[in-house]
Amino acid sequence: MTDAGKPAAAGKPAGAEEPLPPRLAAALAGFERYLRAERSLSPHTVRAYTGDIRSLLEHACRDGVQTPDGLGLAQLRSWLAVQHGSGAARATLARRGAAARTFTAFAHRRGWLATDPGPQLGTLKTRRTLPHVLRQDEMEAVLADLDAAGRRAEQVTAPGSGSEASGAQAEERTAAAVALRDAAVLELFYATGIRVSELCGLDAGRLDQDRRTVRVRGKGDKERIVPVGVPALRAVARWLAAGRPELAAGASGQALFLGVRGGRLDPRTARRIVHERLRETGTVRDTGPHGLRHTAATHLLEGGADLRSVQEILGHSSPATTQIYTHVSIERLKSSYRQAHPRA
């Protein structure tokens, strides 16, 4: 896979696929079904893993392997060596190794491999970079601007304000609905720390205004309950009452957030919303939905939340994944210390 995210074997054009022998092709198809149906992995992860395993099987085929039982540790190691030689990043190599171990474990359970060579491959440790986060005052400035824009937009879409709207007035009402949506999107991202795919997958009925929670379906199709703050609930309620009806169409279904044509909001548009709204503020550094997730987690820890609670809120399966946010908080503390202490 190239570092841009598209699987490709070294030495052949990106996107070109070599035909696999029938039994290897059948094994790859079975592996893809397993990832989708049994592991319930996201479409992005399924594409990445199947692309990696196709690359592995193509490499093994060039080494004379025609059936899954011919795949061994030598082929796994030589395949990763080729990837390393072609300049693959350390994180990419780690993911490919994980994909290979997942595939060999799957093949062993199916009886295609007498022994599983995957555990002998080892695990490549990646260098974890500290995530970029916004300061609390930066987030306050962004959300204050969006709240003010939402209040103005609410007046435009109020009942009786242009029920027989001209073309220009209709455009104004649509723009107002979009402003209400965007304010609710950023408020909910920051309040909950949910992933962009989780936000786009929300239905209106998953938000409980009384209990101040939202039911989120995350990775592996796992559901969790996440608390929501009052400002975010207020922004979403304003969107549902005054904004969503302006964009709703036959394709809207129960989707909480909609695009301008009435369909469910997609992740690409959600990312664009975050980047554009932050850029409009002009006083904060650019980041995306994942940056807001990092920001929410860091601010929770800085406010005194325990690591286990933050892990539950973010939907991390392992506390080790959440641990990085404590490093962020410590780095910010050290930075403040160096600036403030006379003998730092």
Side-chain angles (χ1 to χ4, degrees), residues 87-109:
R90 190 177 182 89
T92 303
L93 290 172
R95 194 209 61 232
R96 288 176 180 164
R101 286 191 297 274
T102 302
F103 176 73
T104 57
F106 165 76
H108 179 55
R109 287 195 301 273

Side-chain angles (χ1 to χ4, degrees), residues 143-158 176 179-180 183 234 238 242:
L143 298 177
D145 284 354
L146 288 171
D147 181 64
R151 291 179 185 279
R152 292 192 297 270
E154 197 173 20
Q155 298 303 312
V156 175
T157 60
L180 289 165
R234 188 185 304 124
R238 188 185 296 161

Side-chain angles (χ1 to χ4, degrees), residues 135-148 277-278 281 283-284:
R135 299 191 309 269
Q136 293 186 33
D137 63 308
E138 290 177 322
M139 280 306 310
E140 288 292 340
V142 170
L143 298 177
D145 284 354
L146 288 171
D147 181 64
R277 293 303 184 181
L278 290 180
T281 304
T283 58
V284 301

Side-chain angles (χ1 to χ4, degrees), residues 47-84:
R47 283 194 302 272
Y49 269 37
T50 53
D52 290 341
I53 298 309
R54 169 171 279 280
S55 172
L56 168 62
L57 296 179
E58 288 173 355
H59 174 84
C61 185
R62 290 192 292 272
D63 200 34
V65 174
Q66 296 292 304
T67 59
D69 60 0
L71 191 65
L73 185 60
Q75 285 78 27
L76 299 182
R77 284 177 172 167
S78 63
W79 172 64
L80 286 176
V82 169
Q83 307 301 312
H84 181 268

Side-chain angles (χ1 to χ4, degrees), residues 6 9 61 76 83 112 122 157-159 180 225 233 238 250 267 277 314 323 328 333:
K6 294 182 179 179
C61 185
L76 299 182
Q83 307 301 312
W112 301 338
T157 60
L180 289 165
I225 305 295
L233 288 172
R238 188 185 296 161
R277 293 303 184 181
L314 297 180
Q323 191 75 34
V328 176
L333 179 64

Side-chain angles (χ1 to χ4, degrees), residues 8 10 29 36 42 202 294 341:
R36 292 185 189 281
S42 71
L202 287 176
H294 291 321
H341 199 286

